[in-house]
Amino acid sequence: MARPAILRGWFLIRRDLPHGRRVLLTVVSFLLPLALWCVVSYVPWIWHPDVKIELSAEREGVTTVFTAGDHVSREFFPEFVEAVRQENAAVLAAREAGTPGSGAKRKNQKLLRQLAPLAVEQGWLDYTDGQNDAVLYHVWRDLATGARTSADPKLTPENLDIVRRNWAVMSALSPDFSYKQLPDEPLLKIVPQGMPANPVYLPAPHEVFRAAKRDFTAEVPTGELTMGQRYRQSLHIIIAGFLWACVVGIPLGILCGVFDFFSKLLEPFVDFFRYMPAPTFSTLLVAVLLAGDAPKVALVFIGTVFQMILVVSKTTRLLDPALLEAAQTLGAKPRQMITKVVIPGILPNLYNDLRILLGWAWTWLVIAELIGVKSGLTEFIETQGRFRNFERVFPVIILIGVTGFVTDQILSWLHGLLFPWAGKSGNFSRAVASFVSWPFRMVAAGARERIAASEMSTPEVRRNEAS
Amino acid sequence: MSTHVELPSYREQAPEVAARFARLQQRPVALEVSGLTKKFETPRGVVTALSDVSFSVHKRELMCVIGPSGCGKSTLVRILAGLETATAGELKVYGEPVSGPGPDRGMVFQGYTLFPWLSVKENVMFGPKMAGKSSFTAEREAREWIDLVGLAKFENSYPHQLSGGMKQRVAIARALANQPRVLFMDEPFGALDAQTRCKMQSYLLDIWKNVDITIVFITHDLDEAVFLSDRILVLDANPGRVAEIVEVPVPRPRSEQQLFDPTFMATRKHIDHMMHPPGQEQKEAPVLRMAVADPDVI
Ligand SMILES: Nc1ncnc2c1ncn2[C@@H]1O[C@H](COP(=O)(O)OP(=O)(O)O)[C@@H](O)[C@H]1O
Ligand SMILES: [Mg+2]
């Protein structure tokens, strides 16, 4: 039975797929992990070993306090809820028996704040303003009277009932917040509410996205750095470290590749040195170069330069020796062989080497930013990771990934533009190259004509009369 | 089995051919090789690639060097071009001893060896620029040489955009642009298909006719050697020694029709016998045995 055309030809051994299919698979390669992440995050019956608390409560006599946003295990949560319910039942029982407790003003003020996460979520309260009791008091009022409703998180009927009962008690004493006017008898606690959730280290996409939006746009207190500033700090270190490595590594690499003298003089030691992990020098670097960016730049430099010398010398040695011989027979002197043959000849491969080394430099950057005074994007990752705010960590990790990936893609695209002769460039980059070089070519052509007009001598090509 | 045609001896030269060789002898010696020996030190002992090779090539002569694979043809030409040093022997170009590579001796390699990052024009300009000529002079000269090999339309193309034959024409133009006194070519058409190869041989003769150049051409192809050469230097293998220097009795100008001239065939046969002595051939050639003799097949 013949399969439809769309299903045929996906799995051919060592055969390239057509362009359309390749693009499709590239897109899918990104969508697939994203889709997996969404499924694990949003399909409630898949995994979700935790409950993420939306509304929390403090229990009597228990020192462990959970706040909204905390994760508790799925097994423990019902226990937690039940404990609060029992406390409420006790309060109600006492109230019904005509012997309500007293001296609970302080606790009741805290109890009012149980709704703060909900108010923040709804945008009724700024998240830095969770103890604004005056506003919260009115939140209680409005929820009880139905003037406001909360859709997300939605109050359970049980909790709505508790809100109403409490408001009945509170409103009898004062329409607005005043500590003195708070009820003296215990109010009912909001019963904890929560959502099935994955562990904190796997926040859902929307949480990550929201954290990213907030962190990347947030105004920060003076003295702290915005994400943009951190990003620039990191870029500065990696670029400085990498450029220094290029300045030292490329000429040495080429020398080693060209002259056996330098190869035998330098490469054994370089080969040895690169096995000593760069981070092991961090304390030394800080001691020598002190705090600030210098030891960090030096670490990226050390991590990159030794590899670079070896890789560049290898690339140089890979240049077809026949090209050098050809140049010799055309009269090239040793210096010209290096400048006119070796360097232009290895450029495309050298360029690709640098692309790969730049990728490694990012690894060194992350370590570099942790030494001395922590700085840049890594400091943020460190701090937030320590607070287990992984939804704030992921955007920064992704930012680094995207930066590296996009840089590499741009560099790869430029490869075709810079080295059209390498024959790997597509039509598009060739077209761009010819467009970009057009003004130069026009100027050159003009100059050529002017010179040709002024230079009257004829070429001295020795032609022969027929023999 | 085979129909025997009585071939003349390859030594018989028509009067005009004999006269031409006489004139050739009068010309100055462009390249003089004497006692050239080359030994390679290898882990498995010393390999003598060339042993006491002596010959001379006259101005504007086209000499082919032929021999079985591994007999030292490349080694010879690399020594002549200065890319390798001889263990013993001497090399003179127009009477002056030379050592090391130099622009007076051009080289065309089998593997093209065009600079891939330079356009056709820039490749041809390479030699003149190394000689210190201005870009504009170099470019103007390069254009002439590119015209000569018929690639004017491709002067701005890069090597990877050209066919094998075109690449080799650029390589020839590049070598000639340096105006060398002797041009060495090491199996330059070896990588080309048969048809392109034929065309390139005619091209080469055309170029040679128009340019004052002495050519030493390495090949292992008999027809190519006879078609191109004034004289053919036949090398023996193990160690590489001069077996004979054959004067080709085929008159010039050459054309493809001459491939079946008796003089051509006689020369070809002679060299063939020298390279593959009869008797030895049977031992080496694989024997096909037919299970049933089928008269229709034969
Ligand atoms: N660099 C080298 N080291 C050792 N032996 C070599 C080297 N170059 C060539 N030879 C040997 O010299 C002989 C001639 O080689 P070559 O000149 O390439 O032959 P041809 O070009 O006629 O095929 C061969 O036996 C080869 O193994
Ligand atoms: Mg060879």
Side-chain angles (χ1 to χ4, degrees):
Chain A
M1 200 182 72
R3 279 182 294 167
I6 187 103
L7 292 179
R8 265 180 278 142
W10 286 94
F11 302 100
L12 297 176
I13 291 170
R14 302 267 325 164
R15 204 66 75 71
D16 286 344
L17 289 169
H19 181 71
R21 289 184 175 190
R22 264 191 279 177
V23 172
L24 180 71
L25 288 176
T26 306
V27 173
V28 168
S29 85
F30 280 91
L31 288 185
L32 217 57
L34 210 60
L36 197 69
W37 186 21
C38 286
V39 166
V40 170
S41 300
Y42 296 133
V43 180
W45 62 84
I46 292 180
W47 205 22
H48 289 83
D50 290 1
V51 172
K52 182 178 180 182
I53 295 174
E54 290 167 334
L55 293 176
S56 188
E58 288 184 22
R59 285 162 294 164
E60 301 297 331
V62 178
T63 45
T64 315
V65 176
F66 298 110
T67 54
D70 281 355
H71 285 229
V72 296
S73 78
R74 208 159 47 180
E75 289 74 36
F76 170 71
F77 187 69
E79 234 175 83
F80 181 30
V81 170
E82 205 42 49
V84 177
R85 276 190 189 137
Q86 301 221 326
E87 286 178 24
N88 280 349
V91 169
L92 277 180
R95 206 181 279 174
E96 241 143 72
T99 54
S102 62
K105 268 195 211 300
R106 183 90 239 153
K107 279 187 185 154
N108 284 342
Q109 187 190 19
K110 272 194 184 173
L111 197 148
L112 284 189
R113 293 177 188 162
Q114 271 192 285
L115 286 184
L118 180 143
V120 169
E121 199 66 29
Q122 291 295 314
W124 300 334
L125 199 62
D126 194 68
Y127 75 102
T128 55
D129 207 16
Q131 303 193 345
N132 190 335
D133 296 317
V135 173
L136 281 170
Y137 203 77
H138 288 148
V139 168
W140 280 83
R141 178 193 67 197
D142 292 349
L143 284 171
T145 58
R148 293 194 230 194
T149 48
S150 167
D152 180 29
K154 197 170 155 58
L155 280 175
T156 55
E158 181 188 17
N159 276 335
L160 199 55
D161 187 49
I162 291 170
V163 169
R164 289 203 183 109
R165 280 164 181 261
N166 282 351
W167 180 246
V169 179
M170 285 149 68
S171 60
L173 297 171
S174 164
D176 296 310
F177 175 77
S178 140
Y179 185 76
K180 286 202 187 111
Q181 302 283 317
L182 280 179
D184 200 42
E185 63 170 303
L187 291 168
L188 297 176
K189 287 182 182 168
I190 300 273
V191 171
Q193 270 183 239
M195 290 275 288
N198 284 323
V200 276
Y201 54 78
L202 188 71
H206 75 276
E207 295 170 317
V208 171
F209 187 75
R210 213 165 36 182
K213 218 170 115 188
R214 209 169 55 202
D215 284 335
F216 289 3
T217 57
E219 302 277 326
V220 294
T222 42
E224 281 182 37
L225 295 175
T226 64
M227 196 60 79
Q229 286 166 327
R230 288 175 186 283
Y231 189 47
R232 248 166 285 148
Q233 209 174 30
S234 295
L235 286 182
H236 167 76
I237 289 168
I238 191 172
I239 290 172
F242 189 74
L243 283 185
W244 277 114
C246 287
V247 166
V248 175
I250 294 176
L252 284 182
I254 291 177
L255 277 181
C256 287
V258 171
F259 297 105
D260 206 31
F261 175 83
F262 291 104
S263 169
K264 294 297 177 294
L265 184 69
L266 293 177
E267 280 186 52
F269 181 74
V270 169
D271 208 11
F272 156 70
F273 204 97
R274 87 191 157 119
Y275 280 104
M276 299 195 274
T280 53
F281 292 94
S282 53
T283 44
L284 181 72
L285 290 174
V286 173
V288 175
L289 297 166
L290 308 178
D293 283 353
K296 298 166 194 286
V297 171
L299 188 95
V300 174
F301 172 81
I302 288 182
T304 315
V305 74
F306 295 103
Q307 299 286 356
M308 193 179 284
I309 292 173
L310 296 181
V311 169
V312 172
S313 76
K314 179 153 178 263
T315 295
T316 307
R317 275 193 284 270
L318 280 182
L319 181 73
D320 185 1
L323 293 181
L324 290 169
E325 292 184 341
Q328 272 182 297
T329 63
L330 291 170
K333 310 274 179 309
R335 230 184 66 161
Q336 291 167 317
M337 279 163 63
I338 295 175
T339 57
K340 304 284 189 219
V341 182
V342 173
I343 291 175
I346 64 169
L347 269 186
N349 288 336
L350 179 69
Y351 182 90
N352 279 337
D353 291 343
L354 294 187
R355 264 174 61 200
I356 294 169
L357 287 164
L358 183 60
W360 290 352
W362 278 99
T363 315
W364 301 123
L365 171 75
V366 171
I367 295 161
E369 289 191 326
L370 291 179
I371 72 173
V373 181
K374 294 192 181 99
S375 70
L377 294 175
T378 318
E379 196 235 306
F380 186 86
I381 293 177
E382 256 277 306
T383 317
Q384 298 304 328
R386 210 163 274 184
F387 294 143
R388 296 164 69 75
N389 292 334
F390 292 106
E391 75 279 2
R392 300 179 73 183
V393 167
F394 279 109
V396 183
I397 296 178
I398 293 171
L399 174 68
I400 294 177
V402 167
T403 307
F405 183 73
V406 169
T407 314
D408 193 62
Q409 287 299 302
I410 292 173
L411 290 178
S412 151
W413 179 75
L414 278 177
H415 188 278
L417 217 72
L418 291 169
F419 311 110
W421 53 268
K424 285 177 211 141
S425 56
N427 289 329
F428 178 68
S429 54
R430 249 206 302 279
V432 175
S434 98
F435 178 76
V436 170
S437 66
W438 183 78
F440 302 104
R441 280 184 288 137
M442 292 320 279
V443 171
R448 216 150 43 218
E449 261 155 41
R450 258 175 288 124
I451 299 265
S454 65
E455 230 178 83
M456 294 305 288
S457 64
T458 47
E460 328 145 34
V461 173
R462 283 178 289 148
R463 291 286 171 94
N464 226 76
E465 330 71 55
S467 73
Chain B
M1 287 274 282
S2 64
T3 50
H4 269 281
V5 178
E6 224 25 76
L7 288 177
S9 161
Y10 72 98
R11 289 184 202 280
E12 282 175 25
Q13 290 173 353
E16 74 268 22
V17 174
R20 189 166 182 283
F21 276 115
R23 269 184 280 129
L24 207 72
Q25 296 291 331
Q26 300 302 309
R27 294 197 202 143
V29 174
L31 180 74
E32 190 180 350
V33 179
S34 44
L36 206 66
T37 299
K38 176 71 184 177
K39 291 183 171 133
F40 285 110
E41 307 270 354
T42 68
R44 278 178 292 130
V46 176
V47 174
T48 307
L50 294 171
S51 166
D52 194 23
V53 172
S54 302
F55 63 93
S56 51
V57 187
H58 292 269
K59 184 173 155 67
R60 273 185 59 66
E61 186 178 350
L62 201 167
M63 178 188 261
C64 278
V65 177
I66 197 169
S69 189
C71 71
K73 304 185 294 292
S74 293
T75 307
L76 171 65
V77 83
R78 285 171 58 78
I79 292 171
L80 299 185
L83 297 173
E84 205 117 39
T85 49
T87 312
E90 205 185 11
L91 165 64
K92 284 184 186 162
V93 174
Y94 286 94
E96 292 163 29
V98 288
S99 61
D104 57 331
R105 281 151 296 142
M107 176 96 168
V108 174
F109 301 82
Q110 178 174 357
Y112 316 125
T113 65
L114 296 179
F115 303 120
W117 58 93
L118 298 179
S119 66
V120 165
K121 188 173 64 193
E122 291 161 337
N123 260 286
V124 179
M125 285 164 66
F126 189 91
K129 287 190 81 173
M130 290 302 115
K133 293 188 182 167
S134 75
S135 290
F136 300 105
T137 317
E139 184 169 342
R140 210 180 34 202
E141 290 184 23
R143 283 231 168 83
E144 291 223 1
W145 292 107
I146 294 168
D147 258 348
L148 186 77
V149 296
L151 288 175
K153 265 193 265 173
F154 297 91
E155 61 171 31
N156 289 318
S157 302
Y158 284 99
H160 77 95
Q161 296 167 309
L162 305 179
S163 70
M166 286 155 87
K167 280 187 209 171
Q168 210 50 296
R169 272 146 71 188
V170 177
I172 292 170
R174 183 179 68 173
L176 289 177
N178 239 2
Q179 308 200 349
R181 312 183 85 168
V182 188
L183 179 65
F184 301 110
M185 304 178 85
D186 187 2
E187 306 201 26
F189 309 144
L192 304 178
D193 62 86
Q195 217 179 343
T196 313
R197 203 179 166 128
C198 270
K199 257 194 238 150
M200 290 296 295
Q201 289 161 2
S202 303
Y203 267 126
L204 179 66
L205 287 184
D206 275 348
I207 292 168
W208 177 65
K209 205 164 65 190
N210 290 321
V211 181
D212 177 6
I213 187 84
T214 309
I215 298 179
V216 175
F217 189 106
I218 308 292
T219 180
H220 64 258
D221 182 63
L222 269 172
D223 289 317
E224 187 169 74
V226 179
F227 182 70
L228 293 176
S229 308
D230 290 314
R231 291 186 300 156
I232 299 174
L233 188 151
V234 187
L235 272 187
D236 259 350
N238 297 321
R241 262 179 301 131
V242 181
E244 188 183 342
I245 297 179
V246 177
E247 292 186 340
V248 179
V250 184
R252 288 194 191 271
R254 303 270 164 84
S255 72
E256 279 166 48
Q257 283 79 41
Q258 288 169 316
L259 284 173
F260 304 102
D261 273 6
T263 48
F264 192 103
M265 307 228 303
T267 316
R268 191 185 185 290
K269 193 173 167 197
H270 171 69
I271 299 171
D272 196 14
H273 277 193
M274 226 174 350
M275 285 169 60
H276 314 280
Q280 200 181 325
E281 214 167 350
Q282 255 104 41
K283 265 179 266 155
E284 287 174 1
V287 183
L288 285 182
R289 263 183 253 158
M290 265 187 281
V292 182
D294 183 348
D296 289 343
V297 172
I298 304 162

